[in-house]
Amino acid sequence: AQSVTQLGSHVSVSEGALVLLRCNYSSSVPPYLFWYVQYPNQGLQLLLKYTSAATLVKGINGFEAEFKKSETSFHLTKPSAHMSDAAEYFCAVSGSSGDKLTFGTGTRLAVRP
Amino acid sequence: GAVVSQHPSRVICKSGTSVKIECRSLDFQATTMFWYRQFPKQSLMLMATSNEGSKATYEQGVEKDKFLINHASLTLSTLTVTSAHPEDSSFYICSAGPLAGPYEQYFGPGTRLTVT
């Protein structure tokens, strides 16, 4: 069984500041990990994924995440926040290809001008 | 590539009626599609896994007779909410995965259902 914990339901940063969204996972098998972004009244868009290749994963829109097995973490970062980054972010885990995703509770990112 | 569409994007229906939501993978084939429900300001809750040519697998607590799922082809899955009630009002999102990797699911834009 897999589970995901996202620390911080709301994160607020200033434009240009570092973005750090936290995700910790639990999995009985080697996990596949994902970060998705959701804008209001829309579906989810994949930001990046970890599938047991490189532990530092680069995604779209300048986001990246690092898989740390020892810490069971997959935190999402972006060096410089942009106003357009304001959205809901979901971390998700699955146990294998084609397996169902288990989502975290989400983190709402606000970007202050 | 990897586009998933949903139709309708928004629907309002009266209590007791049924509503069908379509989920299509536009540029890839998907043996598996997933249906989620999302309440306001909450995460996605998996309702069922839809497999082409076979019965859907429902998550615990989801009424299969109320939420009918059909996956008749590799590009189309439908969710029918039968005898809808106001508490069924929600945002319904589908997703699909390509036949051969790369593991992630592609999400549709969602359907906002309001039952009056």
Side-chain angles (χ1 to χ4, degrees), chain B residues 5-40:
Chain B
S5 70
Q6 277 184 247
H7 179 79
S9 58
R10 186 179 295 267
V11 58
I12 301 173
C13 69
K14 294 184 183 297
S15 285
T17 62
S18 295
V19 174
K20 180 185 285 188
I21 302 170
E22 292 187 348
C23 177
R24 294 181 184 272
S25 55
L26 298 184
D27 50 3
F28 66 97
Q29 293 181 320
T31 54
T32 304
M33 290 184 172
F34 302 87
W35 286 96
Y36 297 84
R37 184 173 180 177
Q38 185 179 32
F39 291 102

PDB file of all heavy atoms in Angstrom, chain B residues 5-40:
ATOM      1  N   SER B   5      -9.846  14.252 -23.048  1.00  0.00           N
ATOM      2  CA  SER B   5     -10.969  15.196 -23.028  1.00  0.00           C
ATOM      3  C   SER B   5     -12.110  14.641 -22.206  1.00  0.00           C
ATOM      4  O   SER B   5     -12.237  13.417 -22.039  1.00  0.00           O
ATOM      5  CB  SER B   5     -11.444  15.493 -24.452  1.00  0.00           C
ATOM      6  OG  SER B   5     -12.088  14.359 -25.011  1.00  0.00           O
ATOM      7  N   GLN B   6     -12.936  15.511 -21.720  1.00  0.00           N
ATOM      8  CA  GLN B   6     -14.142  15.122 -20.998  1.00  0.00           C
ATOM      9  C   GLN B   6     -15.307  15.939 -21.528  1.00  0.00           C
ATOM     10  O   GLN B   6     -15.168  17.116 -21.847  1.00  0.00           O
ATOM     11  CB  GLN B   6     -14.008  15.388 -19.485  1.00  0.00           C
ATOM     12  CG  GLN B   6     -13.299  14.312 -18.721  1.00  0.00           C
ATOM     13  CD  GLN B   6     -13.278  14.560 -17.228  1.00  0.00           C
ATOM     14  OE1 GLN B   6     -12.229  14.798 -16.649  1.00  0.00           O
ATOM     15  NE2 GLN B   6     -14.451  14.509 -16.595  1.00  0.00           N
ATOM     16  N   HIS B   7     -16.453  15.284 -21.551  1.00  0.00           N
ATOM     17  CA  HIS B   7     -17.653  15.969 -21.999  1.00  0.00           C
ATOM     18  C   HIS B   7     -18.850  15.479 -21.217  1.00  0.00           C
ATOM     19  O   HIS B   7     -18.993  14.259 -21.040  1.00  0.00           O
ATOM     20  CB  HIS B   7     -17.876  15.716 -23.496  1.00  0.00           C
ATOM     21  CG  HIS B   7     -19.114  16.373 -24.017  1.00  0.00           C
ATOM     22  ND1 HIS B   7     -19.195  17.708 -24.318  1.00  0.00           N
ATOM     23  CD2 HIS B   7     -20.356  15.867 -24.234  1.00  0.00           C
ATOM     24  CE1 HIS B   7     -20.402  18.006 -24.717  1.00  0.00           C
ATOM     25  NE2 HIS B   7     -21.126  16.910 -24.683  1.00  0.00           N
ATOM     26  N   PRO B   8     -19.685  16.354 -20.695  1.00  0.00           N
ATOM     27  CA  PRO B   8     -19.579  17.815 -20.802  1.00  0.00           C
ATOM     28  C   PRO B   8     -18.605  18.374 -19.765  1.00  0.00           C
ATOM     29  O   PRO B   8     -18.191  17.669 -18.860  1.00  0.00           O
ATOM     30  CB  PRO B   8     -21.013  18.262 -20.513  1.00  0.00           C
ATOM     31  CG  PRO B   8     -21.505  17.227 -19.550  1.00  0.00           C
ATOM     32  CD  PRO B   8     -20.894  15.925 -19.987  1.00  0.00           C
ATOM     33  N   SER B   9     -18.294  19.638 -19.877  1.00  0.00           N
ATOM     34  CA  SER B   9     -17.432  20.269 -18.879  1.00  0.00           C
ATOM     35  C   SER B   9     -18.244  20.704 -17.670  1.00  0.00           C
ATOM     36  O   SER B   9     -17.721  20.820 -16.563  1.00  0.00           O
ATOM     37  CB  SER B   9     -16.725  21.480 -19.484  1.00  0.00           C
ATOM     38  OG  SER B   9     -17.678  22.419 -19.964  1.00  0.00           O
ATOM     39  N   ARG B  10     -19.525  20.933 -17.920  1.00  0.00           N
ATOM     40  CA  ARG B  10     -20.393  21.395 -16.835  1.00  0.00           C
ATOM     41  C   ARG B  10     -21.803  20.901 -17.124  1.00  0.00           C
ATOM     42  O   ARG B  10     -22.266  20.973 -18.264  1.00  0.00           O
ATOM     43  CB  ARG B  10     -20.370  22.909 -16.763  1.00  0.00           C
ATOM     44  CG  ARG B  10     -21.097  23.537 -15.619  1.00  0.00           C
ATOM     45  CD  ARG B  10     -20.951  25.053 -15.698  1.00  0.00           C
ATOM     46  NE  ARG B  10     -19.569  25.467 -15.507  1.00  0.00           N
ATOM     47  CZ  ARG B  10     -19.049  25.802 -14.345  1.00  0.00           C
ATOM     48  NH1 ARG B  10     -19.790  25.784 -13.252  1.00  0.00           N
ATOM     49  NH2 ARG B  10     -17.789  26.187 -14.254  1.00  0.00           N
ATOM     50  N   VAL B  11     -22.484  20.373 -16.116  1.00  0.00           N
ATOM     51  CA  VAL B  11     -23.851  19.892 -16.316  1.00  0.00           C
ATOM     52  C   VAL B  11     -24.658  20.137 -15.051  1.00  0.00           C
ATOM     53  O   VAL B  11     -24.162  19.945 -13.936  1.00  0.00           O
ATOM     54  CB  VAL B  11     -23.870  18.396 -16.718  1.00  0.00           C
ATOM     55  CG1 VAL B  11     -23.184  17.526 -15.683  1.00  0.00           C
ATOM     56  CG2 VAL B  11     -25.284  17.914 -16.976  1.00  0.00           C
ATOM     57  N   ILE B  12     -25.888  20.554 -15.260  1.00  0.00           N
ATOM     58  CA  ILE B  12     -26.846  20.736 -14.175  1.00  0.00           C
ATOM     59  C   ILE B  12     -28.024  19.823 -14.450  1.00  0.00           C
ATOM     60  O   ILE B  12     -28.569  19.824 -15.563  1.00  0.00           O
ATOM     61  CB  ILE B  12     -27.325  22.199 -14.082  1.00  0.00           C
ATOM     62  CG1 ILE B  12     -26.131  23.123 -13.857  1.00  0.00           C
ATOM     63  CG2 ILE B  12     -28.351  22.359 -12.954  1.00  0.00           C
ATOM     64  CD1 ILE B  12     -26.486  24.603 -13.927  1.00  0.00           C
ATOM     65  N   CYS B  13     -28.407  19.037 -13.466  1.00  0.00           N
ATOM     66  CA  CYS B  13     -29.529  18.136 -13.678  1.00  0.00           C
ATOM     67  C   CYS B  13     -30.421  18.125 -12.444  1.00  0.00           C
ATOM     68  O   CYS B  13     -30.032  18.585 -11.366  1.00  0.00           O
ATOM     69  CB  CYS B  13     -29.034  16.710 -13.981  1.00  0.00           C
ATOM     70  SG  CYS B  13     -28.267  15.883 -12.586  1.00  0.00           S
ATOM     71  N   LYS B  14     -31.614  17.606 -12.629  1.00  0.00           N
ATOM     72  CA  LYS B  14     -32.563  17.532 -11.525  1.00  0.00           C
ATOM     73  C   LYS B  14     -32.387  16.230 -10.762  1.00  0.00           C
ATOM     74  O   LYS B  14     -31.943  15.214 -11.320  1.00  0.00           O
ATOM     75  CB  LYS B  14     -33.989  17.634 -12.052  1.00  0.00           C
ATOM     76  CG  LYS B  14     -34.328  18.984 -12.671  1.00  0.00           C
ATOM     77  CD  LYS B  14     -35.784  19.038 -13.079  1.00  0.00           C
ATOM     78  CE  LYS B  14     -36.137  20.346 -13.768  1.00  0.00           C
ATOM     79  NZ  LYS B  14     -35.952  21.495 -12.838  1.00  0.00           N
ATOM     80  N   SER B  15     -32.750  16.262  -9.503  1.00  0.00           N
ATOM     81  CA  SER B  15     -32.694  15.051  -8.679  1.00  0.00           C
ATOM     82  C   SER B  15     -33.492  13.933  -9.324  1.00  0.00           C
ATOM     83  O   SER B  15     -34.588  14.159  -9.841  1.00  0.00           O
ATOM     84  CB  SER B  15     -33.264  15.326  -7.282  1.00  0.00           C
ATOM     85  OG  SER B  15     -32.377  16.060  -6.510  1.00  0.00           O
ATOM     86  N   GLY B  16     -32.915  12.749  -9.291  1.00  0.00           N
ATOM     87  CA  GLY B  16     -33.613  11.591  -9.829  1.00  0.00           C
ATOM     88  C   GLY B  16     -33.263  11.257 -11.260  1.00  0.00           C
ATOM     89  O   GLY B  16     -33.563  10.158 -11.736  1.00  0.00           O
ATOM     90  N   THR B  17     -32.635  12.177 -11.950  1.00  0.00           N
ATOM     91  CA  THR B  17     -32.241  11.916 -13.336  1.00  0.00           C
ATOM     92  C   THR B  17     -30.843  11.323 -13.375  1.00  0.00           C
ATOM     93  O   THR B  17     -30.128  11.305 -12.386  1.00  0.00           O
ATOM     94  CB  THR B  17     -32.298  13.195 -14.179  1.00  0.00           C
ATOM     95  OG1 THR B  17     -31.362  14.140 -13.641  1.00  0.00           O
ATOM     96  CG2 THR B  17     -33.694  13.793 -14.164  1.00  0.00           C
ATOM     97  N   SER B  18     -30.474  10.828 -14.555  1.00  0.00           N
ATOM     98  CA  SER B  18     -29.148  10.242 -14.739  1.00  0.00           C
ATOM     99  C   SER B  18     -28.305  11.136 -15.647  1.00  0.00           C
ATOM    100  O   SER B  18     -28.829  11.797 -16.543  1.00  0.00           O
ATOM    101  CB  SER B  18     -29.264   8.849 -15.348  1.00  0.00           C
ATOM    102  OG  SER B  18     -29.909   7.967 -14.452  1.00  0.00           O
ATOM    103  N   VAL B  19     -27.040  11.121 -15.411  1.00  0.00           N
ATOM    104  CA  VAL B  19     -26.119  11.948 -16.181  1.00  0.00           C
ATOM    105  C   VAL B  19     -24.941  11.102 -16.644  1.00  0.00           C
ATOM    106  O   VAL B  19     -24.382  10.342 -15.848  1.00  0.00           O
ATOM    107  CB  VAL B  19     -25.575  13.118 -15.325  1.00  0.00           C
ATOM    108  CG1 VAL B  19     -24.511  13.883 -16.072  1.00  0.00           C
ATOM    109  CG2 VAL B  19     -26.706  14.040 -14.914  1.00  0.00           C
ATOM    110  N   LYS B  20     -24.581  11.237 -17.917  1.00  0.00           N
ATOM    111  CA  LYS B  20     -23.449  10.502 -18.454  1.00  0.00           C
ATOM    112  C   LYS B  20     -22.308  11.459 -18.742  1.00  0.00           C
ATOM    113  O   LYS B  20     -22.487  12.500 -19.363  1.00  0.00           O
ATOM    114  CB  LYS B  20     -23.829   9.757 -19.734  1.00  0.00           C
ATOM    115  CG  LYS B  20     -22.660   8.967 -20.350  1.00  0.00           C
ATOM    116  CD  LYS B  20     -23.013   8.338 -21.674  1.00  0.00           C
ATOM    117  CE  LYS B  20     -23.895   7.140 -21.496  1.00  0.00           C
ATOM    118  NZ  LYS B  20     -24.103   6.408 -22.773  1.00  0.00           N
ATOM    119  N   ILE B  21     -21.109  11.065 -18.302  1.00  0.00           N
ATOM    120  CA  ILE B  21     -19.897  11.843 -18.549  1.00  0.00           C
ATOM    121  C   ILE B  21     -18.962  10.989 -19.389  1.00  0.00           C
ATOM    122  O   ILE B  21     -18.718   9.828 -19.066  1.00  0.00           O
ATOM    123  CB  ILE B  21     -19.209  12.229 -17.223  1.00  0.00           C
ATOM    124  CG1 ILE B  21     -20.159  13.033 -16.332  1.00  0.00           C
ATOM    125  CG2 ILE B  21     -17.932  13.029 -17.498  1.00  0.00           C
ATOM    126  CD1 ILE B  21     -19.645  13.244 -14.923  1.00  0.00           C
ATOM    127  N   GLU B  22     -18.440  11.595 -20.452  1.00  0.00           N
ATOM    128  CA  GLU B  22     -17.529  10.862 -21.329  1.00  0.00           C
ATOM    129  C   GLU B  22     -16.087  11.283 -21.097  1.00  0.00           C
ATOM    130  O   GLU B  22     -15.796  12.459 -20.874  1.00  0.00           O
ATOM    131  CB  GLU B  22     -17.876  11.126 -22.798  1.00  0.00           C
ATOM    132  CG  GLU B  22     -19.191  10.541 -23.243  1.00  0.00           C
ATOM    133  CD  GLU B  22     -19.394  10.703 -24.744  1.00  0.00           C
ATOM    134  OE1 GLU B  22     -18.615  11.455 -25.372  1.00  0.00           O
ATOM    135  OE2 GLU B  22     -20.327  10.093 -25.278  1.00  0.00           O
ATOM    136  N   CYS B  23     -15.206  10.313 -21.194  1.00  0.00           N
ATOM    137  CA  CYS B  23     -13.775  10.553 -21.080  1.00  0.00           C
ATOM    138  C   CYS B  23     -13.106   9.914 -22.296  1.00  0.00           C
ATOM    139  O   CYS B  23     -13.266   8.710 -22.519  1.00  0.00           O
ATOM    140  CB  CYS B  23     -13.243   9.940 -19.791  1.00  0.00           C
ATOM    141  SG  CYS B  23     -11.453  10.077 -19.564  1.00  0.00           S
ATOM    142  N   ARG B  24     -12.389  10.719 -23.051  1.00  0.00           N
ATOM    143  CA  ARG B  24     -11.743  10.216 -24.258  1.00  0.00           C
ATOM    144  C   ARG B  24     -10.250  10.513 -24.258  1.00  0.00           C
ATOM    145  O   ARG B  24      -9.830  11.623 -23.911  1.00  0.00           O
ATOM    146  CB  ARG B  24     -12.346  10.852 -25.511  1.00  0.00           C
ATOM    147  CG  ARG B  24     -13.784  10.491 -25.787  1.00  0.00           C
ATOM    148  CD  ARG B  24     -14.290  11.139 -27.064  1.00  0.00           C
ATOM    149  NE  ARG B  24     -15.705  10.866 -27.275  1.00  0.00           N
ATOM    150  CZ  ARG B  24     -16.172   9.807 -27.912  1.00  0.00           C
ATOM    151  NH1 ARG B  24     -15.320   8.923 -28.428  1.00  0.00           N
ATOM    152  NH2 ARG B  24     -17.464   9.623 -28.059  1.00  0.00           N
ATOM    153  N   SER B  25      -9.464   9.511 -24.642  1.00  0.00           N
ATOM    154  CA  SER B  25      -8.049   9.757 -24.906  1.00  0.00           C
ATOM    155  C   SER B  25      -7.946  10.077 -26.395  1.00  0.00           C
ATOM    156  O   SER B  25      -8.327   9.273 -27.238  1.00  0.00           O
ATOM    157  CB  SER B  25      -7.201   8.538 -24.546  1.00  0.00           C
ATOM    158  OG  SER B  25      -7.657   7.385 -25.212  1.00  0.00           O
ATOM    159  N   LEU B  26      -7.466  11.260 -26.724  1.00  0.00           N
ATOM    160  CA  LEU B  26      -7.546  11.758 -28.101  1.00  0.00           C
ATOM    161  C   LEU B  26      -6.413  11.289 -28.996  1.00  0.00           C
ATOM    162  O   LEU B  26      -6.602  11.131 -30.201  1.00  0.00           O
ATOM    163  CB  LEU B  26      -7.600  13.288 -28.091  1.00  0.00           C
ATOM    164  CG  LEU B  26      -8.799  13.891 -27.378  1.00  0.00           C
ATOM    165  CD1 LEU B  26      -8.791  15.407 -27.532  1.00  0.00           C
ATOM    166  CD2 LEU B  26     -10.106  13.318 -27.890  1.00  0.00           C
ATOM    167  N   ASP B  27      -5.249  11.066 -28.450  1.00  0.00           N
ATOM    168  CA  ASP B  27      -4.117  10.753 -29.319  1.00  0.00           C
ATOM    169  C   ASP B  27      -3.321   9.561 -28.830  1.00  0.00           C
ATOM    170  O   ASP B  27      -2.163   9.376 -29.220  1.00  0.00           O
ATOM    171  CB  ASP B  27      -3.204  11.973 -29.472  1.00  0.00           C
ATOM    172  CG  ASP B  27      -2.841  12.581 -28.123  1.00  0.00           C
ATOM    173  OD1 ASP B  27      -3.242  12.023 -27.087  1.00  0.00           O
ATOM    174  OD2 ASP B  27      -2.150  13.611 -28.123  1.00  0.00           O
ATOM    175  N   PHE B  28      -3.930   8.752 -27.983  1.00  0.00           N
ATOM    176  CA  PHE B  28      -3.269   7.523 -27.563  1.00  0.00           C
ATOM    177  C   PHE B  28      -4.347   6.540 -27.114  1.00  0.00           C
ATOM    178  O   PHE B  28      -5.493   6.913 -26.874  1.00  0.00           O
ATOM    179  CB  PHE B  28      -2.263   7.771 -26.428  1.00  0.00           C
ATOM    180  CG  PHE B  28      -2.885   8.220 -25.120  1.00  0.00           C
ATOM    181  CD1 PHE B  28      -3.145   7.309 -24.101  1.00  0.00           C
ATOM    182  CD2 PHE B  28      -3.193   9.553 -24.907  1.00  0.00           C
ATOM    183  CE1 PHE B  28      -3.714   7.714 -22.907  1.00  0.00           C
ATOM    184  CE2 PHE B  28      -3.768   9.970 -23.713  1.00  0.00           C
ATOM    185  CZ  PHE B  28      -4.026   9.056 -22.710  1.00  0.00           C
ATOM    186  N   GLN B  29      -3.957   5.304 -27.028  1.00  0.00           N
ATOM    187  CA  GLN B  29      -4.880   4.275 -26.592  1.00  0.00           C
ATOM    188  C   GLN B  29      -4.643   3.972 -25.119  1.00  0.00           C
ATOM    189  O   GLN B  29      -3.506   3.934 -24.660  1.00  0.00           O
ATOM    190  CB  GLN B  29      -4.695   3.010 -27.427  1.00  0.00           C
ATOM    191  CG  GLN B  29      -5.092   3.203 -28.880  1.00  0.00           C
ATOM    192  CD  GLN B  29      -4.922   1.922 -29.672  1.00  0.00           C
ATOM    193  OE1 GLN B  29      -3.960   1.188 -29.500  1.00  0.00           O
ATOM    194  NE2 GLN B  29      -5.884   1.640 -30.548  1.00  0.00           N
ATOM    195  N   ALA B  30      -5.703   3.771 -24.400  1.00  0.00           N
ATOM    196  CA  ALA B  30      -5.606   3.562 -22.959  1.00  0.00           C
ATOM    197  C   ALA B  30      -6.380   2.317 -22.556  1.00  0.00           C
ATOM    198  O   ALA B  30      -7.607   2.286 -22.646  1.00  0.00           O
ATOM    199  CB  ALA B  30      -6.143   4.784 -22.214  1.00  0.00           C
ATOM    200  N   THR B  31      -5.671   1.300 -22.102  1.00  0.00           N
ATOM    201  CA  THR B  31      -6.372   0.125 -21.601  1.00  0.00           C
ATOM    202  C   THR B  31      -6.995   0.393 -20.249  1.00  0.00           C
ATOM    203  O   THR B  31      -7.960  -0.256 -19.861  1.00  0.00           O
ATOM    204  CB  THR B  31      -5.409  -1.068 -21.453  1.00  0.00           C
ATOM    205  OG1 THR B  31      -4.291  -0.666 -20.649  1.00  0.00           O
ATOM    206  CG2 THR B  31      -4.911  -1.556 -22.795  1.00  0.00           C
ATOM    207  N   THR B  32      -6.452   1.354 -19.552  1.00  0.00           N
ATOM    208  CA  THR B  32      -6.947   1.660 -18.215  1.00  0.00           C
ATOM    209  C   THR B  32      -7.260   3.139 -18.096  1.00  0.00           C
ATOM    210  O   THR B  32      -6.453   3.984 -18.476  1.00  0.00           O
ATOM    211  CB  THR B  32      -5.908   1.285 -17.140  1.00  0.00           C
ATOM    212  OG1 THR B  32      -5.571  -0.091 -17.273  1.00  0.00           O
ATOM    213  CG2 THR B  32      -6.473   1.522 -15.747  1.00  0.00           C
ATOM    214  N   MET B  33      -8.436   3.425 -17.588  1.00  0.00           N
ATOM    215  CA  MET B  33      -8.821   4.796 -17.268  1.00  0.00           C
ATOM    216  C   MET B  33      -9.285   4.831 -15.823  1.00  0.00           C
ATOM    217  O   MET B  33      -9.757   3.813 -15.295  1.00  0.00           O
ATOM    218  CB  MET B  33      -9.922   5.288 -18.203  1.00  0.00           C
ATOM    219  CG  MET B  33      -9.451   5.522 -19.640  1.00  0.00           C
ATOM    220  SD  MET B  33     -10.775   6.203 -20.674  1.00  0.00           S
ATOM    221  CE  MET B  33      -9.869   6.577 -22.161  1.00  0.00           C
ATOM    222  N   PHE B  34      -9.135   5.968 -15.209  1.00  0.00           N
ATOM    223  CA  PHE B  34      -9.485   6.119 -13.810  1.00  0.00           C
ATOM    224  C   PHE B  34     -10.503   7.250 -13.659  1.00  0.00           C
ATOM    225  O   PHE B  34     -10.442   8.258 -14.353  1.00  0.00           O
ATOM    226  CB  PHE B  34      -8.238   6.448 -12.983  1.00  0.00           C
ATOM    227  CG  PHE B  34      -7.141   5.425 -13.082  1.00  0.00           C
ATOM    228  CD1 PHE B  34      -6.202   5.493 -14.102  1.00  0.00           C
ATOM    229  CD2 PHE B  34      -7.044   4.391 -12.162  1.00  0.00           C
ATOM    230  CE1 PHE B  34      -5.193   4.550 -14.209  1.00  0.00           C
ATOM    231  CE2 PHE B  34      -6.025   3.454 -12.253  1.00  0.00           C
ATOM    232  CZ  PHE B  34      -5.104   3.533 -13.277  1.00  0.00           C
ATOM    233  N   TRP B  35     -11.406   7.059 -12.730  1.00  0.00           N
ATOM    234  CA  TRP B  35     -12.399   8.094 -12.426  1.00  0.00           C
ATOM    235  C   TRP B  35     -12.200   8.567 -11.003  1.00  0.00           C
ATOM    236  O   TRP B  35     -12.135   7.771 -10.062  1.00  0.00           O
ATOM    237  CB  TRP B  35     -13.819   7.563 -12.609  1.00  0.00           C
ATOM    238  CG  TRP B  35     -14.193   7.406 -14.056  1.00  0.00           C
ATOM    239  CD1 TRP B  35     -14.124   6.273 -14.814  1.00  0.00           C
ATOM    240  CD2 TRP B  35     -14.685   8.443 -14.919  1.00  0.00           C
ATOM    241  NE1 TRP B  35     -14.536   6.542 -16.097  1.00  0.00           N
ATOM    242  CE2 TRP B  35     -14.892   7.861 -16.184  1.00  0.00           C
ATOM    243  CE3 TRP B  35     -14.974   9.802 -14.748  1.00  0.00           C
ATOM    244  CZ2 TRP B  35     -15.373   8.589 -17.274  1.00  0.00           C
ATOM    245  CZ3 TRP B  35     -15.452  10.522 -15.821  1.00  0.00           C
ATOM    246  CH2 TRP B  35     -15.645   9.919 -17.072  1.00  0.00           C
ATOM    247  N   TYR B  36     -12.127   9.898 -10.853  1.00  0.00           N
ATOM    248  CA  TYR B  36     -11.924  10.521  -9.562  1.00  0.00           C
ATOM    249  C   TYR B  36     -13.079  11.486  -9.278  1.00  0.00           C
ATOM    250  O   TYR B  36     -13.711  12.020 -10.179  1.00  0.00           O
ATOM    251  CB  TYR B  36     -10.623  11.326  -9.534  1.00  0.00           C
ATOM    252  CG  TYR B  36      -9.367  10.528  -9.731  1.00  0.00           C
ATOM    253  CD1 TYR B  36      -8.898  10.204 -10.994  1.00  0.00           C
ATOM    254  CD2 TYR B  36      -8.618  10.112  -8.630  1.00  0.00           C
ATOM    255  CE1 TYR B  36      -7.731   9.485 -11.173  1.00  0.00           C
ATOM    256  CE2 TYR B  36      -7.440   9.394  -8.797  1.00  0.00           C
ATOM    257  CZ  TYR B  36      -7.004   9.090 -10.071  1.00  0.00           C
ATOM    258  OH  TYR B  36      -5.845   8.384 -10.238  1.00  0.00           O
ATOM    259  N   ARG B  37     -13.233  11.732  -7.991  1.00  0.00           N
ATOM    260  CA  ARG B  37     -14.188  12.730  -7.549  1.00  0.00           C
ATOM    261  C   ARG B  37     -13.420  13.709  -6.659  1.00  0.00           C
ATOM    262  O   ARG B  37     -12.567  13.292  -5.865  1.00  0.00           O
ATOM    263  CB  ARG B  37     -15.304  12.049  -6.759  1.00  0.00           C
ATOM    264  CG  ARG B  37     -16.413  12.962  -6.312  1.00  0.00           C
ATOM    265  CD  ARG B  37     -17.545  12.163  -5.699  1.00  0.00           C
ATOM    266  NE  ARG B  37     -18.611  13.032  -5.271  1.00  0.00           N
ATOM    267  CZ  ARG B  37     -19.761  12.618  -4.752  1.00  0.00           C
ATOM    268  NH1 ARG B  37     -19.978  11.324  -4.592  1.00  0.00           N
ATOM    269  NH2 ARG B  37     -20.675  13.479  -4.377  1.00  0.00           N
ATOM    270  N   GLN B  38     -13.719  14.978  -6.822  1.00  0.00           N
ATOM    271  CA  GLN B  38     -13.012  15.977  -6.043  1.00  0.00           C
ATOM    272  C   GLN B  38     -14.013  16.952  -5.445  1.00  0.00           C
ATOM    273  O   GLN B  38     -14.759  17.616  -6.172  1.00  0.00           O
ATOM    274  CB  GLN B  38     -11.998  16.735  -6.905  1.00  0.00           C
ATOM    275  CG  GLN B  38     -11.134  17.705  -6.113  1.00  0.00           C
ATOM    276  CD  GLN B  38     -10.116  18.426  -6.972  1.00  0.00           C
ATOM    277  OE1 GLN B  38     -10.361  18.692  -8.145  1.00  0.00           O
ATOM    278  NE2 GLN B  38      -8.960  18.745  -6.401  1.00  0.00           N
ATOM    279  N   PHE B  39     -14.029  17.027  -4.128  1.00  0.00           N
ATOM    280  CA  PHE B  39     -14.864  17.998  -3.434  1.00  0.00           C
ATOM    281  C   PHE B  39     -14.102  19.310  -3.335  1.00  0.00           C
ATOM    282  O   PHE B  39     -12.867  19.328  -3.411  1.00  0.00           O
ATOM    283  CB  PHE B  39     -15.256  17.475  -2.060  1.00  0.00           C
ATOM    284  CG  PHE B  39     -16.202  16.309  -2.125  1.00  0.00           C
ATOM    285  CD1 PHE B  39     -15.751  15.011  -1.934  1.00  0.00           C
ATOM    286  CD2 PHE B  39     -17.545  16.496  -2.395  1.00  0.00           C
ATOM    287  CE1 PHE B  39     -16.607  13.928  -2.018  1.00  0.00           C
ATOM    288  CE2 PHE B  39     -18.411  15.423  -2.485  1.00  0.00           C
ATOM    289  CZ  PHE B  39     -17.944  14.139  -2.295  1.00  0.00           C
ATOM    290  N   PRO B  40     -14.818  20.414  -3.150  1.00  0.00           N
ATOM    291  CA  PRO B  40     -14.164  21.728  -3.117  1.00  0.00           C
ATOM    292  C   PRO B  40     -12.992  21.776  -2.149  1.00  0.00           C
ATOM    293  O   PRO B  40     -13.103  21.344  -1.001  1.00  0.00           O
ATOM    294  CB  PRO B  40     -15.287  22.665  -2.686  1.00  0.00           C
ATOM    295  CG  PRO B  40     -16.534  22.005  -3.158  1.00  0.00           C
ATOM    296  CD  PRO B  40     -16.279  20.529  -2.997  1.00  0.00           C
TER     297      PRO B  40
END
